Short mmCIF file of all heavy atoms in Angstrom, two decimals:
data_model
loop_
_atom_site.label_atom_id
_atom_site.label_comp_id
_atom_site.label_asym_id
_atom_site.label_seq_id
_atom_site.Cartn_x
_atom_site.Cartn_y
_atom_site.Cartn_z
N ARG A 103 62.42 93.77 134.08
CA ARG A 103 62.16 92.34 134.02
C ARG A 103 61.23 91.93 135.16
O ARG A 103 61.26 92.52 136.23
CB ARG A 103 63.46 91.55 134.21
CG ARG A 103 64.34 91.48 132.99
CD ARG A 103 65.56 90.62 133.25
NE ARG A 103 66.46 91.21 134.22
CZ ARG A 103 66.56 90.85 135.48
NH1 ARG A 103 65.83 89.85 135.97
NH2 ARG A 103 67.41 91.44 136.29
N GLY A 241 63.08 95.66 127.55
CA GLY A 241 64.36 95.05 127.90
C GLY A 241 64.38 93.54 127.74
O GLY A 241 63.92 92.98 126.73
N GLY A 242 64.92 92.88 128.77
CA GLY A 242 65.10 91.44 128.72
C GLY A 242 63.81 90.65 128.55
O GLY A 242 63.84 89.48 128.18
N ASN A 243 62.68 91.28 128.82
CA ASN A 243 61.40 90.61 128.58
C ASN A 243 61.11 90.47 127.09
O ASN A 243 60.30 89.65 126.69
CB ASN A 243 60.23 91.40 129.17
CG ASN A 243 60.26 91.49 130.68
OD1 ASN A 243 60.87 90.65 131.33
ND2 ASN A 243 59.61 92.51 131.23
N LYS A 248 69.08 88.61 123.99
CA LYS A 248 69.92 89.03 125.11
C LYS A 248 69.92 88.00 126.24
O LYS A 248 70.67 87.05 126.22
CB LYS A 248 69.46 90.42 125.58
CG LYS A 248 70.39 91.07 126.56
CD LYS A 248 69.95 92.49 126.86
CE LYS A 248 70.75 93.10 128.00
NZ LYS A 248 72.20 93.00 127.87
N ILE A 249 69.06 88.16 127.23
CA ILE A 249 69.20 87.29 128.38
C ILE A 249 68.45 85.97 128.24
O ILE A 249 68.85 84.98 128.83
CB ILE A 249 68.79 88.01 129.67
CG1 ILE A 249 67.39 88.55 129.55
CG2 ILE A 249 69.78 89.11 129.96
CD1 ILE A 249 66.89 89.16 130.81
N GLN A 270 76.18 86.11 133.48
CA GLN A 270 75.91 87.55 133.44
C GLN A 270 77.19 88.29 133.89
O GLN A 270 77.31 88.71 135.04
CB GLN A 270 74.72 87.95 134.32
CG GLN A 270 74.36 89.42 134.06
CD GLN A 270 73.39 90.07 135.02
OE1 GLN A 270 72.78 91.05 134.66
NE2 GLN A 270 73.24 89.60 136.22
N SER A 293 72.29 92.59 138.54
CA SER A 293 71.75 93.64 137.69
C SER A 293 71.82 95.00 138.39
O SER A 293 71.57 95.10 139.59
CB SER A 293 70.30 93.33 137.35
OG SER A 293 70.24 92.08 136.70
N LYS A 297 78.29 96.67 136.23
CA LYS A 297 79.05 96.00 135.16
C LYS A 297 79.33 96.96 134.01
O LYS A 297 80.45 97.04 133.51
CB LYS A 297 78.29 94.77 134.64
CG LYS A 297 78.16 93.64 135.63
CD LYS A 297 77.43 92.43 135.05
CE LYS A 297 76.02 92.73 134.59
NZ LYS A 297 75.11 93.17 135.66
N ASP A 321 77.58 92.71 129.94
CA ASP A 321 76.45 92.02 130.56
C ASP A 321 76.48 90.49 130.41
O ASP A 321 75.90 89.80 131.23
CB ASP A 321 75.13 92.56 129.99
CG ASP A 321 73.94 92.30 130.90
OD1 ASP A 321 74.07 92.49 132.12
OD2 ASP A 321 72.86 91.92 130.39
N PHE A 344 72.95 97.77 126.75
CA PHE A 344 71.65 98.20 127.26
C PHE A 344 71.95 98.69 128.68
O PHE A 344 71.86 97.93 129.64
CB PHE A 344 70.69 97.02 127.23
CG PHE A 344 69.27 97.32 127.64
CD1 PHE A 344 68.52 98.30 127.02
CD2 PHE A 344 68.67 96.58 128.66
CE1 PHE A 344 67.21 98.54 127.41
CE2 PHE A 344 67.35 96.83 129.05
CZ PHE A 344 66.62 97.82 128.42
N ARG A 424 67.09 103.37 130.54
CA ARG A 424 68.31 102.82 129.92
C ARG A 424 68.62 103.47 128.59
O ARG A 424 67.78 104.13 127.98
CB ARG A 424 68.13 101.31 129.73
CG ARG A 424 67.98 100.60 131.07
CD ARG A 424 68.41 99.19 131.03
NE ARG A 424 68.36 98.58 132.35
CZ ARG A 424 69.32 97.81 132.85
NH1 ARG A 424 70.39 97.55 132.15
NH2 ARG A 424 69.19 97.29 134.05
N ALA A 486 66.53 96.97 138.68
CA ALA A 486 66.53 96.35 137.36
C ALA A 486 65.50 95.22 137.28
O ALA A 486 65.02 94.88 136.22
CB ALA A 486 67.92 95.81 137.02
N PHE A 504 68.60 84.37 135.93
CA PHE A 504 68.85 83.78 134.61
C PHE A 504 69.20 82.30 134.70
O PHE A 504 69.57 81.68 133.73
CB PHE A 504 70.00 84.55 133.92
CG PHE A 504 69.84 86.05 134.03
CD1 PHE A 504 70.70 86.81 134.80
CD2 PHE A 504 68.77 86.69 133.40
CE1 PHE A 504 70.52 88.19 134.93
CE2 PHE A 504 68.59 88.05 133.53
CZ PHE A 504 69.47 88.81 134.29
C1 LIG B 27 69.49 93.13 133.72
O1 LIG B 27 68.41 93.35 134.26
O2 LIG B 27 70.40 92.47 134.25
C2 LIG B 27 69.79 93.70 132.40
C3 LIG B 27 68.71 94.39 131.71
O3 LIG B 27 70.90 93.58 131.93
S1 LIG B 27 67.64 93.28 130.93
O4 LIG B 27 68.11 93.09 129.59
O5 LIG B 27 66.31 93.90 130.96
O6 LIG B 27 67.64 92.04 131.63
#
Side-chain angles (χ1 to χ4, degrees):
R103 281 183 293 103
N243 294 337
K248 190 174 172 51
I249 56 175
Q270 189 192 202
S293 302
K297 293 182 300 298
D321 202 43
F344 183 57
R424 297 206 175 224
F504 314 112

